[in-house]
Amino acid sequence: FIASTGIGNFAYDPSQQPDGDPDRSPVTLNIHDSYFVQGVIGIDFMHRAGFSLIGSVGYAKLLNHDTNVEVVEGELEPDEKEAVQVLFESGPVITVGVGYAFK
């Protein structure tokens, strides 16, 4: 189970970006509390010499009944909507860790 308190209002002004459209108005998002359930399967390997490898794959499902991101002002472009979905909604989980355990 994963919980986040949200960050409240987040303003983004695409007209201020180097390649942004100067005619676009600012966008304000309200990032609400988020609740997820996550399931993963993975491997944890450690060699006698100390080499360590950890990896897992799975999925995190958003439990909020409605979306956890609300567009308060402005309008998102399709690629911006996709980025919001990837960052704040349900999606795959991939973890990789490589290291060395000292004796």
Side-chain angles (χ1 to χ4, degrees):
F1 183 74
I2 304 169
S4 167
T5 60
I7 59 174
N9 285 347
F10 173 77
Y12 167 68
D13 190 354
S15 67
Q16 299 299 316
Q17 301 301 315
D19 59 345
D21 181 1
D23 297 328
R24 277 194 64 199
S25 60
V27 177
T28 302
L29 303 175
N30 187 0
I31 313 297
H32 298 285
D33 297 352
S34 301
Y35 307 99
F36 294 87
V37 64
Q38 174 179 303
V40 295
I41 188 167
I43 185 170
D44 185 351
F45 170 78
M46 184 177 288
H47 191 271
R48 287 187 301 259
F51 173 74
S52 174
L53 175 66
I54 299 171
S56 65
V57 294
Y59 192 78
K61 173 70 175 156
L62 179 65
L63 297 177
N64 297 35
H65 294 294
D66 53 353
T67 184
N68 57 342
V69 178
E70 173 188 7
V71 179
V72 178
E73 182 182 342
E75 188 173 325
L76 294 172
E77 296 287 321
D79 59 332
E80 294 169 338
K81 286 181 185 178
E82 186 176 324
V84 166
Q85 288 175 339
V86 167
L87 291 173
F88 298 107
E89 295 182 7
S90 300
V93 175
I94 301 171
T95 304
V96 176
V98 179
Y100 181 80
F102 295 96
K103 294 182 182 180

